[in-house]
Amino acid sequence: MTGQSRSRRLLGLIAKWLGAVVLIAVLAGVTYEQIGERRDRQRLPQIGRSVDIGGRSLNIFCSGKGTPAVILDSGAGDPGYAWSHIQPEIAKFTEACWFDRAGEGWSDPGPFPRTSAAMSTELHQLLHRAGVPPPYVLVGHSLGGLNARVYNGMYSDDVAGAVLVDAAHEDEPKRAPASMLGHTAPRYLWRPIWIVVQTARLLGVVRLLTPRELLPTDPAQRTREQVVRALRRQPKAIAGLADATLPESYAQAAAAGGFGDRALIVLTAGRVDTSAHPTAEDRQFVAYRQAWMHEIQPKLARLSTRGRQTILAQSGHRIPDDAPDAVVAAVREVVFDIRSKRAPFAPRATQP
């Protein structure tokens, strides 16, 4: 055997061994992830019920009776369970439902892209198959508010009114200081990024690199905040954050149109630190917050001839946590306005 033949044979053996090592690593990673997902299901028993929307399931939890039904849509990265302290209060006067978007909470991951239009289509299928009849009052926090506008544009006949809770707006990329904006990947990289991160999830890499939220063994001793954090740290939820299609969602919301003469209340975070702001970045942030309250959010109220903005002076962006009673009160007002069909809201802005 010549030296060249021996070299080729050695390279062939090395290639086979490397291939075997890669295959073993892939199988080990997939097994590790599947075991982890099974343990997640045991550690975090499902709250709600799974509804098939065509080969995959979304989780929804409803209680209460009455119409219109109130549909609670969370901010980016938050599971539907984030509404679990508000939903029972709304359920005292009408049917109220929170749900997990694809990849969050107890819902299966969804396909790319995760735009507002895609999420609205899935929500429409979920509500139909779960037997929650329209009309709906859509309550959307942050990204959920963007989704509510797109849902209304796509399924207007299903929507009776809305409450937008410090909702995202398409003016944010144009008005916010650079320090508040994340880096946006070029459009041609959106799908490759999604594929790479989802592959890392399936191979257990995301789980391996993510610290697990410690929870009391007894579910009765767990706080809502602990459960929400644990759900947010699931690999499928973290991998879902790799979606870079927010610019498309902004565009979809801008093109969705308004709510006509339907009841609409806009809740706006009004808490701004008025202490000394020594840096230019701090001053930019304060200026933007003023624009957010008095220029951008009022545009949302003008999406309906019966729209009204309420500025919550003591609340930050996470209004459902900071001022849950204000959310419940706004929902109650919209629901009873729809039921009574009384005169339009008088447009005004208040600062409780």
Side-chain angles (χ1 to χ4, degrees):
M1 180 181 294
T2 65
Q4 188 175 11
S5 297
R6 285 195 297 271
S7 296
R8 284 199 297 268
R9 183 179 178 185
L10 179 60
L11 289 174
L13 288 172
I14 292 173
K16 289 180 180 178
W17 277 105
L18 286 175
V21 169
V22 170
L23 179 60
I24 292 171
V26 168
L27 292 174
V30 170
T31 302
Y32 170 69
E33 178 58 27
Q34 290 178 342
I35 292 173
E37 290 177 4
R38 184 167 64 248
R39 289 177 176 172
D40 284 346
R41 289 191 291 271
Q42 295 170 348
R43 194 170 75 108
L44 292 161
Q46 181 177 1
I47 299 171
R49 61 188 177 104
S50 295
V51 177
D52 184 272
I53 63 166
R56 54 195 174 88
S57 296
L58 297 183
N59 182 61
I60 187 169
F61 180 85
C62 299
S63 65
K65 295 181 180 180
T67 186
V70 173
I71 311 302
L72 301 159
D73 198 347
S74 302
D78 276 343
Y81 188 74
W83 294 100
S84 61
H85 61 312
I86 288 177
Q87 186 259 358
E89 297 303 312
I90 298 173
K92 292 177 180 178
F93 55 85
T94 195
E95 183 175 17
C97 306
W98 57 257
F99 70 100
D100 293 317
R101 292 187 293 259
E104 296 173 358
W106 291 279
S107 288
D108 293 336
F112 180 88
R114 305 309 306 152
T115 61
S116 288
M119 290 183 276
S120 295
T121 298
E122 292 169 350
L123 176 58
H124 185 257
Q125 294 172 332
L126 171 63
L127 295 174
H128 173 73
R129 298 191 182 194
V132 182
Y136 309 124
V137 171
L138 303 179
V139 181
H141 172 233
S142 195
L143 174 66
L146 205 67
N147 292 350
R149 291 171 57 195
V150 174
Y151 188 101
N152 176 65
M154 296 173 66
Y155 308 105
S156 182
D157 290 345
D158 288 358
V159 180
V163 177
L164 302 181
V165 185
D166 218 41
H169 191 278
E170 57 273 18
D171 282 358
E172 291 177 55
K174 297 176 287 187
R175 299 293 302 273
S179 59
M180 292 183 61
L181 299 174
H183 296 289
T184 302
R187 187 176 294 267
Y188 66 86
L189 289 178
W190 289 358
R191 185 181 290 272
I193 290 173
W194 175 265
I195 292 172
V196 168
V197 176
Q198 294 301 319
T199 300
R201 173 183 66 83
L202 293 171
L203 295 179
V205 176
V206 175
R207 183 178 298 277
L208 186 65
L209 298 177
T210 304
R212 192 171 70 160
E213 174 71 18
L214 298 178
L215 292 172
T217 304
D218 182 0
Q221 296 180 354
R222 299 171 180 177
T223 66
R224 179 181 64 91
E225 292 78 11
Q226 287 174 324
V227 174
V228 168
R229 286 197 300 268
L231 292 171
R232 292 190 67 168
R233 290 186 182 180
Q234 293 181 110
K236 63 180 180 180
I238 293 173
L241 297 176
D243 176 70
T245 59
L246 184 58
E248 287 194 0
S249 295
Y250 281 138
Q252 291 164 357
F259 291 85
D261 63 352
R262 285 163 289 173
L264 170 66
I265 293 180
V266 175
L267 299 179
T268 301
R271 188 173 66 210
V272 179
D273 185 1
T274 57
S275 61
H277 295 277
T279 69
E281 186 175 292
D282 290 334
R283 289 191 291 272
Q284 288 173 354
F285 171 75
V286 172
Y288 175 66
R289 290 301 304 167
Q290 294 299 320
W292 175 257
M293 287 186 282
H294 303 297
E295 297 178 41
I296 297 174
Q297 289 279 294
K299 291 183 179 181
L300 294 176
R302 291 196 290 271
L303 290 174
S304 170
T305 58
R306 303 205 294 165
R308 188 182 80 228
Q309 179 191 19
T310 297
I311 298 175
L312 302 174
Q314 302 304 315
S315 179
H317 176 61
R318 299 191 70 84
I319 291 176
D321 294 332
D322 294 343
D325 291 346
V327 177
V328 174
V331 173
R332 182 185 291 109
E333 186 171 354
V334 169
V335 166
F336 282 91
D337 180 89
I338 292 166
R339 288 177 179 173
S340 65
K341 295 182 174 60
R342 59 174 177 255
F345 296 152
R348 58 186 174 87
T350 60
Q351 298 191 34

